[in-house]
Amino acid sequence: MADLLYGLSSLGLESLQGADIFEELTKKEKAVEEGPVVLEEKDMVYDKKTTCPVCDTEFMYKSLKAGKTRFLGNAQDLRPVYEGIDAQKYDIALCPNCGYAALTKYFPRVTTKQAAFIRENISSKVRLHAYTGDTYSYEDAIERYQLALASAVVKKVKTSEKAYICLKNAWLLRGYAQYLAEEKHMPKEQLGAVTQLEKKFLQNAFRGLSASVASESYPICGMDEGTLDYLLAAIAMQLEDYDGAGKIVANILISTTVNPRIKDKARDLKDEIMQKKKEPK
Ligand SMILES: [Zn+2]
């Protein structure tokens, strides 16, 4: 490219001579030519620092990097889907010192009494693995969810919180099954075992979330009544309880307070339920 700043040397500005006056445009054009950068999972996470509310230790855990992940949408049962990464793997904070673990949203909330329960029932016994990779493997993540569920039980948290861990654990196992199927890492019968386990966690999520509707006030796990009802219908659908799902959907559709977005999703679910019921068993 011809030097547009050719006359600067005689004006004492030699250092600017030869500069690209449209540097930012050149960079953009180059990026378009090279195509989109394909990020690897390790590029989409970072080490997030936090302090354990039980033992006061400062530690790091891997978390999704804002701006580096692309959200593709929600599955029918609201499982969030991202390009190239399973977000569920990165939603547990686990203290490597005392073994306390929780969903990141709930991690800081520990009363003095709950901290004592954790120390007595978890810290004194747990033998933790170190997670040394750039990312969490599915095996790492499954272990972290187990520890979060253990802490939730010991903390005696609300039914909805335990149910929500079960739901996210089921989503994680679904991702694991897809990964195993794609990578062909596992024989069919073992893949079936992962799917069975997913079902078990979904059943427990359904049980806990249904019970919390009667005993807790909204928002429950961040959801309003319409969203939680829809979620329950979608879980029932996954569990092949089409009559149960149909009843919940019918209530959503006659409600005057449910937001239109959820009503649309409920209508789609209703169509699918009708379809499933027609299929020969
Ligand atoms: Zn700790």
Side-chain angles (χ1 to χ4, degrees), residues 52 54-57 95 97-100:
C52 174
V54 174
C55 71
D56 220 26
T57 300
C95 173
N97 182 53
C98 73
Y100 165 56

Side-chain angles (χ1 to χ4, degrees), residues 78 222-232 258-259 261-262:
L78 306 181
M223 288 177 277
D224 62 17
E225 190 176 355
T227 309
L228 182 53
D229 280 347
Y230 169 80
L231 175 62
L232 285 169
V258 174
N259 82 53
R261 196 179 53 86
I262 290 292

Side-chain angles (χ1 to χ4, degrees), residues 57-244:
T57 300
E58 202 174 75
F59 68 95
M60 311 271 217
Y61 66 95
K62 296 197 185 300
S63 185
L64 290 197
K65 223 186 240 178
K68 291 284 177 194
T69 49
R70 199 156 84 91
F71 178 62
L72 298 176
N74 292 101
Q76 189 180 58
D77 67 357
L78 306 181
R79 175 185 182 235
V81 182
Y82 289 83
E83 189 173 285
I85 192 165
D86 186 340
Q88 299 316 315
K89 284 170 148 185
Y90 299 96
D91 202 16
I92 299 288
L94 162 64
C95 173
N97 182 53
C98 73
Y100 165 56
L103 288 171
T104 52
K105 179 160 92 165
Y106 299 109
F107 188 77
R109 298 186 206 163
V110 180
T111 64
T112 314
K113 209 170 166 185
Q114 287 172 326
F117 288 150
I118 295 282
R119 277 191 287 270
E120 187 188 334
N121 296 290
I122 293 188
S123 313
S124 60
K125 299 168 188 162
V126 74
R127 286 189 305 274
L128 295 169
H129 296 138
Y131 304 103
T132 51
D134 293 337
T135 59
Y136 293 141
S137 66
Y138 272 106
E139 291 80 0
D140 294 342
I142 288 167
E143 193 173 272
R144 296 169 72 83
Y145 272 82
Q146 285 286 295
L147 288 163
L149 201 50
S151 280
V153 170
V154 168
K155 266 172 84 182
K156 301 184 197 304
V157 300
K158 283 182 189 169
T159 304
S160 61
E161 189 181 325
K162 284 183 278 191
Y164 199 49
I165 299 172
C166 290
L167 176 67
K168 287 172 77 77
N169 206 338
W171 289 343
L172 178 76
L173 290 163
R174 194 178 309 161
Y176 187 38
Q178 282 164 2
Y179 161 79
L180 291 171
E182 279 164 21
E183 304 285 319
K184 298 184 182 64
H185 278 179
M186 205 182 244
K188 246 190 185 154
E189 56 276 17
Q190 279 170 293
L191 196 61
V194 176
T195 307
Q196 276 304 314
L197 198 56
E198 179 202 333
K199 201 172 167 187
K200 208 165 127 191
F201 276 105
L202 276 180
Q203 282 163 342
N204 281 284
F206 186 86
R207 186 176 166 213
L209 288 172
S210 306
S212 57
V213 167
S215 60
E216 296 178 28
S217 46
Y218 291 99
I220 294 174
C221 302
M223 288 177 277
D224 62 17
E225 190 176 355
T227 309
L228 182 53
D229 280 347
Y230 169 80
L231 175 62
L232 285 169
I235 299 174
M237 177 81 186
Q238 292 272 351
L239 294 170
E240 298 175 13
D241 174 9
Y242 304 128
D243 289 334

